[in-house]
Amino acid sequence: MTDPVQDQYEAYPYPGRNPAEEATRLVTGSPSRVLEIDHYLFGGRRDWSQPFRVLVAGGGTGDATVMLAQQLHDKGMKAEITYLDLSTASRRIAEQRIKIRGLTNVTFLSGSLLALAEMGLGGFDYIDCCGVLHHLPDPDAGLASLAGALAPGGGIGIMVYGEYGRAGLYPLQAALQQLAGDLPLKEQVALAKKLLPALPVTNGFRNNRFLGDHRRGDAELVDLLLHRQDRAYTVPQLAELVAGAGLQIASFIEPLRYDPSLYLTDPVLAKRAASLPAPDQAALAERLAGNMKLHIAYLSRESGTVAQPAPEAIPLFIEWEAETVAKAVQQQGGIKGAFDGLPVTLPLPRQAPAILRLIDGTRRMDAIRQETGFTDWENFMAVFRPVWRALNGINRLALRH
Ligand SMILES: C[S@@+](CC[C@H](N)C(=O)[O-])C[C@H]1O[C@@H](n2cnc3c(N)ncnc32)[C@H](O)[C@@H]1O
């Protein structure tokens, strides 16, 4: 093998995973939770009695494959998941994880996502491609290949690195190349570990406290600091990549991070920001925040794939529980949290906890309106809108019909 990227993932399958841990926990995250796929790409209206064909392109050690396979199995959905990766070492770990779980809905393939057109796999309803495109020599060709493998009405969930949040990293990668790039990867790891604690106090990487992956293990250190093929995207660059493949950005995750009003307290500035077209607003938000180290986005061919609040829509929490959220909102007067070091406080109306308590994944919005005593839809929406902005904004609330 001569491709340094392929060699890297054979020697250091990413992320480092021990299959035995499948017995105790399921790793979940964005993109690709089933609830998110339905909400952001199918308007919350996918008919799950119909077969669902999924491709995990560059599946690594299997996080998305395992999550999708388990969630689709648990929901009793007729799903067929295809895992594809260049690295056979990564594939072996992913295969073991699926086997330990007793899941039978995954087919494993070794190969390049660039060769999809020749593989004759048919069209996919959903493609996960997380942390892969930015490692290709030609990411445009990569996304075009994925777009070509979509079934009509299908969509893609991607993650690519964000430029501003990776501040300080690329000079360090270049420095490590100079110091150790000619050595075997294992020795590069050892030298990187010597260098890190000794970096000057002025070093940009040392001062970026949100880049901490390298502390999780050697595979993570190699992926962050010693990668031979690695680029990052700003929002406009990502928009160009997506448009080049004939796709559009249905939503970023978390949506609120891409809303400039989160960062602007002055009403004049907030109004000027709100007057910008949606893609420019997202670009502005990224520039103001400065801390986005990656971009997660759902991509579709058509517009209007994201579910919207409506009387017949059913709200569902994403991995949160109604009573706990309602209690926290009652105590704090809203939602409090942080986006990579940015403290976020989202005040909510006093009627919000009563609404949140009724979100059980079966009640429709109109039923919640009635049970909370709102006679009028608009009055209800005056309370629900900020709830939605906050909780969908942090990707904890979705809709289905
Ligand atoms: C950073 S890892 C991400 C793994 C996984 N998607 C995740 O998020 O945990 C990148 C993966 O992409 C794979 N990869 C790189 N180029 C590829 C290609 N052209 N076709 C298929 N897989 C590729 C690598 O082997 C590696 O397993």
Side-chain angles (χ1 to χ4, degrees), residues 38-181:
D38 196 17
H39 174 90
Y40 291 106
L41 291 172
F42 293 94
R45 294 176 191 278
R46 185 165 200 283
D47 177 358
W48 291 101
S49 68
Q50 294 305 304
F52 190 52
R53 299 199 71 233
V54 177
L55 172 69
V56 183
T61 49
D63 280 3
T65 307
V66 172
M67 176 179 72
L68 275 158
Q70 189 68 60
Q71 291 188 345
L72 290 162
H73 167 84
D74 292 348
K75 290 172 195 278
M77 292 161 177
K78 279 188 243 160
E80 197 187 298
I81 300 153
T82 301
Y83 163 106
L84 177 67
D85 203 293
L86 283 175
S87 157
T88 51
S90 302
R91 170 181 163 169
R92 272 196 295 278
I93 294 168
E95 275 177 321
Q96 272 178 283
R97 294 174 72 184
I98 288 293
K99 194 170 166 211
I100 285 175
R101 287 181 170 273
L103 295 165
T104 54
N105 49 3
V106 184
T107 304
F108 287 89
L109 297 178
S110 295
S112 173
L113 64 86
L114 294 167
L116 278 167
E118 296 98 69
M119 293 169 88
L121 301 174
F124 293 96
D125 302 300
Y126 178 69
I127 299 176
D128 170 284
C129 190
C130 178
V132 182
L133 292 174
H134 49 228
H135 292 315
L136 300 178
D138 183 354
D140 299 76
L143 190 57
S145 174
L146 299 182
L150 277 181
I156 304 179
I158 60 163
M159 184 279 274
V160 294
Y161 294 143
E163 185 164 313
Y164 303 143
R166 284 167 78 83
L169 173 64
Y170 292 103
L172 179 62
Q173 282 188 359
L176 281 164
Q177 277 302 308
Q178 285 184 288
L179 287 168

